[in-house]
Structure formats: C-alpha cells, structure tokens
Amino acid sequence: MPEVAQQHQLQILVDALYEKHRGTTDGELATYIPELAKVNPQDFGICVVTAGGDVFEAGDCDRPFTIQSISKAFTYGLAMDEFGADKVLCHVGVEPSGDAFNAIELHSGTNRPYNPMINSGAITITALLHSRYGDQTFERVLECFSTIAGRELSIDKNVYESERRTGHRNRAIAHLLLNFGVVHEEAEAALDVYFKQCSILITTRDLAMMAATLANMGCHPVTGRSAFSIAYVKDILSIMFTCGMYDYSGQWAYRVGVPAKSGVSGGVMAVVNRQLGIGTYSPRLDRFGNSVRGTEVCIDLASRLGLHVFDCVNVGSNFLDAIL
Ligand code: DON
C-alpha cells in the first residue's frame, strides 16, 4: 500500500475555516475610493505563516489587492527606527481616539493626532519620513515594505490616482496638521506619499508573511532580513492591539486577543507574538470598516488554537520561571 502523506493540522484547520466562511456574503465594498469598488466581492484568501516560515493557505492567496491602512503599522516602524520613540511621540500619541479613522480632529490638549493607526496620525508619520527623505520617501517606504514581505512590491497606479483625485478629506486633515505645525510645509507632497503607500499591492500570502515578520521580531522568516530594529516591534504591536481595528478594537482585543490591523480594501493582518503571522483577504466590510470574513476567521483561529494573549493555554513568561 502506498503511504498517504498526512496533512498538517494547521492546513486542515485553514481549509476548514475557508469552507466554513466562503459562502458568507455579509458586508459592503468600500466605495469612497472609486477604484476599490471594482474588485470581485467574492475573493477570499486565508494564509497563516509560522515564525519559522512554514505556509498554510486556502483560497485566493495570490490575488493582489492594495494594502491601504495596514501600511500604517509599517511606516510607523520605519519612522520609529529613523527618529526614535521620543521624537515620534512628540508628533503622534498612542491613545485610541474613539472616533472614525478619517476624523478631522486632533487631541484637544496637545494638538497631536491620537495615534498612528488613524489617518491624521499616519499622515503625520509619513510627513516625518518626508522631512528626512524628501523626493526619495516613497522609494524608501517601498523598499522597507518589500523587505518585510520578502519580495519586491509595486503600486496599483489606478488606485493611487483614484485616491489622489478624491481624497479631499485627507487633504483637509493634512492642512489641519499644517495649521498646528504638526507637519512640515510640504504637507501636500507628504500626502502624495501617503496615497502611494496605501496603494502598494500585496497578496494574502504577502500579508501573512509581513505579519510573520512582526511575529518574528522584525526579521523575515525566510530571507532573514530585518526592516527595522527589534526594539520597535513591541511598540508597533502595542498600538495595533489597542487601535488597529478601528472602533472594533476593544471587541477585537476581547474576542481575538492578538494585535491586528485592517484596511478598507479588505485585508486583515494579525500577529501572534513569536509564533504566527495571519493574513486574510475578503473585501466586504462590516460597519466598522473591517473585513467581515477576515474578522470571523480570526475569531475562529484564536478560539481553535488558543491564541488570545490571556488564554489559559498561554502560560506566560519563561523568564519568570527561570528566576522564581
Ligand atoms: O486614507 C484612506 O482613506 C485610505 N487610503 C486608507 C483607509 C484605510 O484603510 C482605513 N484605515 N484605517
């Protein structure tokens, strides 16, 4: 009898979750960037990558989509690496805002954006990078994202043009930031870089690899290359944990319990510290702006694998075991 290779437990689970959720049609496509409304609403991919680089996936994991707000986690890491935490904190706080991601508001006491995962904070971070790299800023961002993904990425010019043409709200935010001196004079040029960074094309597999790079302390699990210092991974993950899923962040922390970031094109990236990167793509969004199927898959993965940071199967720090 020929030996039948046994499927890995994680592959069996990923396949089962794909089958469980593939029929869900709840949610709506984002349409405020006209080009985003042209995607196939049925597209659905789930990919899990271990911190050692093993890949488990199901569905449309090669389908390209734009990274959108998930980019904010990585530009924040790049800015922390470039300027250090003290300077970055002078420009952008770390508090959840309790308001929409595109709110035209700043913290009333400090006139700073609340955090880097909302548009005002992310535009400020990109402006900081622009103050250092000038015309080379987007190239620097693209190079950094490519290192994190482990392959050369590029942008979707149609989505970029579409957002540039219609991004009046972001333009208002950039000018509010300029008014309070939070960003430098070239706010328009920085905003253009922000539109481009949101238009970088990735696949579900890229997204899971990028998450695995964060899970692996900033070092890509396959190439071994680092995009930013290990010291800032903790900061990025903390802000993803508290602010990464819009106004659903509290419920996400309660139900899933791992740091995550979503984007309006339908991507969700979740990070299980030192263990796994999770990437999902499904463009129909719930009322918070998060992918419906992406959220459901992450809830299921967390409960099936005991991923929640406070789950009873997470036994805590080996360091304490060693010293007590
Ligand atoms: O700024 C925008 O509206 C988009 N480029 C990104 C939006 C997005 O994914 C929302 N995230 N928080």
Side-chain angles (χ1 to χ4, degrees), residues 75 77-88 91 123-141 143 182-187 189-190 193 232:
T75 47
L78 186 57
M80 292 285 273
D81 210 42
E82 191 59 49
F83 297 98
D86 289 346
K87 181 163 165 90
V88 173
H91 285 77
I123 292 167
T124 302
I125 292 296
T126 301
L128 257 182
L129 292 170
H130 188 270
S131 71
R132 172 76 39 104
Y133 296 119
D135 290 349
Q136 295 304 303
T137 311
F138 180 66
E139 281 63 35
R140 183 73 191 91
V141 167
E143 182 190 31
V182 182
V183 299
H184 66 324
E185 287 294 315
E186 292 173 66
V193 176
Y232 299 119

Side-chain angles (χ1 to χ4, degrees), residues 155-167:
I155 74 166
D156 182 326
K157 291 205 173 71
N158 293 334
V159 172
Y160 159 63
E161 290 294 347
S162 185
E163 184 164 0
R164 194 164 67 101
R165 247 193 343 267
T166 57

Side-chain angles (χ1 to χ4, degrees), residues 212-234:
T213 298
L214 288 173
N216 196 35
M217 295 280 102
C219 176
H220 190 280
V222 179
T223 67
R225 293 184 62 203
S226 291
F228 33 67
S229 157
I230 187 171
Y232 299 119
V233 173
K234 170 170 72 70

Side-chain angles (χ1 to χ4, degrees), residues 1 6 17 24 35 52 72 74 77 84 117-118 123 143 190 197 220 225 227 230 242 266 279 296 324:
M1 275 269 282
Q6 265 217 315
L17 292 181
T24 302
E35 200 64 22
K72 294 167 179 172
F74 299 112
M117 301 295 150
I118 53 175
I123 292 167
E143 182 190 31
Q197 84 186 43
H220 190 280
R225 293 184 62 203
I230 187 171
T242 51
E296 290 302 324
L324 289 178

Side-chain angles (χ1 to χ4, degrees), residues 14-211:
V14 166
D15 285 337
L17 292 181
Y18 178 77
E19 287 307 322
K20 177 178 172 188
H21 295 289
R22 69 186 299 187
T24 302
T25 55
D26 295 345
E28 304 290 336
L29 297 181
T31 51
Y32 77 98
I33 301 172
E35 200 64 22
L36 289 186
K38 295 186 181 168
V39 299
N40 180 354
Q42 303 291 24
D43 284 349
F44 183 32
I46 307 173
C47 183
V48 175
V49 177
T50 67
D54 294 322
V55 178
F56 304 94
E57 62 186 29
D60 306 309
C61 289
D62 287 318
R63 181 91 69 250
F65 59 95
T66 53
I67 190 167
Q68 295 300 333
S69 277
I70 300 171
S71 66
K72 294 167 179 172
F74 299 112
T75 47
Y76 184 66
L78 186 57
M80 292 285 273
D81 210 42
E82 191 59 49
F83 297 98
D86 289 346
K87 181 163 165 90
V88 173
L89 274 172
C90 287
H91 285 77
V92 183
V94 293
E95 286 301 330
S97 69
D99 287 311
F101 70 92
N102 57 2
I104 305 177
E105 66 166 359
L106 299 175
H107 186 281
S108 58
T110 61
N111 292 327
R112 287 178 318 180
Y114 280 87
N115 70 69
M117 301 295 150
I118 53 175
N119 289 10
S120 56
I123 292 167
T124 302
I125 292 296
T126 301
L128 257 182
L129 292 170
H130 188 270
S131 71
R132 172 76 39 104
Y133 296 119
D135 290 349
Q136 295 304 303
T137 311
F138 180 66
E139 281 63 35
R140 183 73 191 91
V141 167
L142 189 62
E143 182 190 31
C144 169
F145 285 24
S146 299
T147 302
I148 296 164
R151 73 175 184 96
E152 219 167 287
L153 302 176
S154 60
I155 74 166
D156 182 326
K157 291 205 173 71
N158 293 334
V159 172
Y160 159 63
E161 290 294 347
S162 185
E163 184 164 0
R164 194 164 67 101
R165 247 193 343 267
T166 57
H168 308 304
R169 206 176 166 93
N170 282 331
R171 212 156 267 122
I173 291 171
H175 283 269
L176 181 71
L177 293 165
L178 186 55
N179 177 66
F180 285 105
V182 182
V183 299
H184 66 324
E185 287 294 315
E186 292 173 66
E188 284 282 349
L191 188 63
D192 198 59
V193 176
Y194 171 76
F195 292 149
K196 281 187 178 153
Q197 84 186 43
C198 290
S199 305
I200 291 175
L201 280 168
I202 53 166
T203 64
T204 310
R205 192 176 308 122
D206 291 328
L207 191 54
M209 276 290 177
M210 295 173 98

